[in-house]
Amino acid sequence: MPLDAEIKSQLVQYLELLEGDVQLNVSAGDDPVSQQMLELAEELARLSPRIRWERAQLPRTPSFSVNRPGEDTGIVFAGLPLGHEFTSLVLALLQVSGRAPKVQPDVMERIRALPGEYRFETYVSLTCHNCPDVVQALNVMSLVNPNIRHTMVEGSAFKDEVESKGILAVPTVYLNGEFFESGRLSLEDILEKLGSAQDASAFADKAPYDVLVIGGGPSGASAAIYAARKGIRTGLVVERFGGQVNDTLGIENLISVKYTEGPQLAASLEAHIRDHDIDIMTSQRAKSLRKSEFVEVELENGAVLKSKTVIISTGARWRNLGVPGEQEFRNKGVTYCPHCDGPLFAGKRVAVIGGGNSGIEAAVDLAGVCGHVTVLEFMPELKADEVLQQRLGSLSNTTVITNAQVTEIIGKETVEGIAYTDRTTGETKRIPVEGVFVQIGLVPNTEWLGDTLEKTRIGEIVTDKRGATSMPGVFAAGDCTDSPYKQIIISMGSGATAALGAFDYLIRHV
C-alpha cells in the first residue's frame, strides 16, 4: 500500500540499518486487505535492495511471514501491521536481518532454554498502544528459539475469528490453540507464565545498596537516575518500565515535549535508566519492607535486598468498581482502556462508568466507533472539564445518567447489560450494553507495605517535603504518595526530590 511521505522517509532510514537479506512470503487473495498487503510488500522491496517478496500459501489469508532466505523464523503478520503495529514490523525486519534485539543476556538464555513447542497467536487492534509490546516480545522469542512461532492477528481483518473466540479485549494471546493471557505482557512476564521465572538465587550475592528504588515509572526512573548521578550504589526493582504511563495514549503536558505517547515515554525512561550505573532487576515485585541494620525489601520470589535507604515509587492502578460481574467479565466486555479495546465494540452499545475527565474523554472517543455510549456518574453532575462536557453534548449517540450507582454487570458468557440504582428515586434500572469501560480513577499500589509506613485512609504514603516517610531511611515519590496531583511531570519531580532527600540522609545519618 502507498506510504505517506513522512513515514516513507523514516522507513528508508530504518531500512538502511538492515544487516542481511529479508524474504517476505505473502499469502494474498482478492480482498482489499490482501491488495494493500501486496502493495506494502512491493513498497518495502522498492525501498531496500535487501528485501524481496514472493507469493506463498500461509494458514491465514491475508498474511505474510518475515524470514531469512532459506530459513523460517516463525514470525507472521496476519492483516496489515500499521498504526501502532508499524513499529513491530520495522523491528521484525531489522532483527530478522541480523540486528540483535535489545534483550538482556540472561533473558536470552531463558528463552533458548524453554522446552517443547510453542505456537503463539496475538490478537491486536491497530489503535492499541499496549499490543506492540506483546507482539515484539513474542517475535523476539521466535527468533531466539526455533521451537517458538508467533502470529500477530489484526482483529478487523479477521472479524469472524475474533468473534468465534469471544475476544473483547486486546492484546489477547493464544498458545497452541488455547487462551494464554490477555492484557499487556512484557517478555519477562511471558517467560514467568511459561515457568521460566528468575528465582531468588539470582539475588543472593547482592551487596547492600546506598539507594534502592522500587518502581520504574516516571518517579522511580527519576529517583534512580538522580541517585546514580551522585555516584552512589543504586539498585532498581521494576515490574514494568513506565508503569501506568504505558496505559496512557496522548501526552501533551510534559513540558518541552509537545506530544508523545505512553509507550514511547516508557521506552525513553528505560533507555535513560540504562545509560547509568544502576543495578536493574526487572519483572520483580516487592512483597514486604522492614528495618534492621539496613532497610530490607523482600521480593515476591523470596529474595531479600538490603539498602541504606529505599525510595518507594510503586505508582497506582485503575480503580475497580467492586460489583458482581466485574471480575467475571473482565476482558469479556469489561475493560479499562478505550483506546485499546474500543474498535472491538464497533457499532455496539457500551457504557462508560465515571464522569471525570478520563470518563468523558473515553466516551467521546468511543462515540466515534460504537453504536451508542451511555455515561453513568455517581454524583449529581459530571466532574469533567466544561469543554469536554460540551464536546460530549454535541454528539448524537451519547446519553448521560447522573446519580447512578452501578450495582451489577450482567451477562452469560459476555457482558449483556448493566444494573444501577437511581440515587434520587432508589429505583433499580438496567441498560442493555455489550461493553463496560471503567474510568473511576486510581488506587495506590501500597498494600504490600501493610502498616509499616503511615498512609492516608485511601492507602497513599504520607511524605514530607523531602519525600521522607514515617520510617527513617525510607522515602516515597509519585502516585503512591499523598501528593494532591497525579501528573507525570509532578511524579518526575517528586522522584528527584526523594533521591536528593535520600542522599542528604546518607550524608547526615549513615
Side-chain angles (χ1 to χ4, degrees):
M1 62 173 295
L3 302 174
D4 65 50
E6 182 179 352
I7 292 179
K8 188 182 295 186
S9 174
Q10 294 174 353
L11 188 55
V12 167
Q13 295 178 48
Y14 285 123
L15 296 183
E16 288 176 353
L17 302 175
L18 294 174
E19 295 187 359
D21 292 342
V22 176
Q23 174 75 38
L24 305 181
N25 295 324
V26 183
S27 181
D30 298 326
D31 59 282
V33 177
S34 289
Q35 297 310 304
Q36 291 179 319
M37 185 172 289
L38 290 169
E39 292 176 19
L40 176 60
E42 291 174 351
E43 188 84 79
L44 291 170
R46 280 197 297 268
L47 293 175
S48 173
R50 287 193 175 277
I51 298 177
R52 296 178 177 84
W53 75 275
E54 63 182 29
R55 283 182 176 268
Q57 188 61 48
L58 301 179
R60 288 181 178 86
T61 297
S63 66
F64 66 95
S65 60
V66 184
N67 302 307
R68 301 183 184 99
E71 179 184 345
D72 183 359
T73 63
I75 296 175
V76 177
F77 292 94
L80 286 167
L82 300 177
H84 288 291
E85 291 300 341
F86 192 67
T87 302
S88 300
L89 171 60
V90 171
L91 285 175
L93 293 170
L94 292 174
Q95 290 166 1
V96 168
S97 82
R99 292 191 71 84
K102 295 181 179 179
V103 178
Q104 297 302 302
D106 65 309
V107 175
M108 296 285 274
E109 288 304 315
R110 288 162 63 191
I111 297 171
R112 292 189 184 99
L114 286 171
E117 300 281 337
Y118 302 86
R119 179 171 53 85
F120 287 100
E121 297 161 317
T122 304
Y123 293 85
V124 307
S125 71
L126 300 183
T127 60
C128 171
H129 54 283
N130 288 325
C131 294
D133 277 2
V134 181
V135 171
Q136 291 161 26
L138 289 168
N139 282 349
V140 167
M141 291 177 65
S142 298
L143 278 172
V144 173
N145 187 325
N147 296 320
I148 299 174
R149 301 183 61 83
H150 175 239
T151 300
M152 181 215 80
V153 183
E154 199 277 294
S156 67
F158 295 88
K159 290 181 180 179
D160 291 345
E161 186 174 339
V162 168
E163 290 181 3
S164 70
K165 285 182 163 62
I167 295 171
L168 292 173
V170 289
T172 290
V173 181
Y174 276 67
L175 171 58
N176 297 335
E178 300 292 332
F179 175 79
F180 178 70
E181 188 58 272
S182 184
R184 187 184 185 90
L185 292 167
S186 68
L187 182 51
E188 290 87 348
D189 292 332
I190 297 168
L191 287 171
E192 186 171 348
K193 280 190 65 65
L194 293 175
S196 178
Q198 196 171 22
D199 61 32
S201 62
F203 303 85
D205 298 326
K206 291 186 180 292
Y209 299 97
D210 293 311
V211 175
L212 178 63
V213 181
I214 312 297
S219 60
S222 177
I225 290 168
Y226 262 72
R229 283 172 59 85
K230 289 293 185 181
I232 57 181
R233 178 166 161 73
T234 303
L236 175 65
V237 173
V238 55
E239 183 177 6
R240 63 167 177 163
F241 285 103
Q244 189 80 8
V245 162
N246 286 290
D247 303 323
T248 304
L249 189 57
I251 300 170
E252 298 177 306
N253 56 359
L254 185 59
I255 309 306
S256 83
V257 179
K258 289 185 178 181
Y259 179 83
T260 188
E261 295 183 351
Q264 292 174 322
L265 179 57
S268 296
L269 292 174
E270 179 178 358
H272 199 172
I273 289 168
R274 293 192 182 279
D275 277 343
H276 291 79
D277 185 14
I278 298 170
D279 185 12
I280 303 168
M281 293 155 276
T282 57
S283 294
Q284 302 298 326
R285 289 169 60 97
K287 179 181 179 181
S288 65
L289 178 80
R290 57 182 177 264
K291 184 72 179 285
S292 59
E293 177 186 1
F294 296 97
V295 182
E296 297 183 356
V297 176
E298 182 181 1
L299 305 182
E300 288 191 347
N301 68 2
V304 176
L305 304 174
K306 298 179 180 180
S307 185
K308 298 173 184 175
T309 63
V310 166
I311 299 173
I312 299 169
S313 302
T314 46
R317 63 187 183 277
W318 294 116
R319 186 180 297 277
N320 292 326
L321 280 169
V323 301
E326 181 178 22
Q327 293 304 316
E328 293 88 336
F329 296 111
R330 193 180 183 113
N331 297 326
K332 298 179 181 179
V334 175
T335 180
Y336 301 81
C337 182
H339 304 296
C340 298
D341 300 333
L344 299 175
F345 295 86
K348 298 181 179 180
R349 299 164 297 181
V350 301
V352 174
I353 314 302
N357 284 348
S358 295
I360 302 308
E361 287 173 355
V364 170
D365 188 14
L366 292 167
V369 295
C370 298
H372 191 273
V373 180
T374 301
V375 177
L376 293 99
E377 164 57 38
F378 181 83
M379 300 301 290
E381 57 187 27
L382 299 178
K383 302 183 291 293
D385 295 342
E386 184 62 31
V387 65
L388 293 174
Q389 295 190 44
Q390 290 176 0
R391 174 63 179 142
L392 182 69
S394 72
L395 303 174
S396 61
N397 63 335
T398 63
T399 301
V400 174
I401 302 174
T402 56
N403 272 321
Q405 181 176 358
V406 176
T407 55
E408 185 181 4
I409 297 170
I410 304 161
K412 295 183 179 69
E413 294 184 359
T414 60
V415 169
E416 297 176 0
I418 192 166
Y420 72 95
T421 298
D422 185 323
R423 297 177 60 237
T424 303
T425 65
E427 183 182 358
T428 297
K429 300 182 179 181
R430 293 190 176 191
I431 305 171
V433 295
E434 288 79 44
V436 178
F437 291 79
V438 182
Q439 301 282 294
I440 56 172
L442 303 172
V443 58
N445 295 318
T446 59
E447 295 91 343
W448 64 279
L449 292 165
D451 297 326
T452 55
L453 301 179
E454 181 185 356
K455 294 185 285 187
T456 68
R457 63 177 181 80
I458 60 173
E460 297 172 330
I461 302 170
V462 176
T463 60
D464 66 13
K465 62 184 180 181
R466 290 181 173 81
T469 71
S470 58
M471 181 182 290
V474 177
F475 297 76
D479 288 359
C480 67
T481 74
D482 59 349
S483 170
Y485 305 113
K486 312 303 185 187
Q487 298 290 313
I488 292 171
I489 195 167
I490 292 173
S491 290
M492 287 180 171
S494 69
T497 297
L500 295 174
F503 183 71
D504 186 55
Y505 178 88
L506 289 170
I507 294 172
R508 297 174 183 272
H509 300 287
V510 178

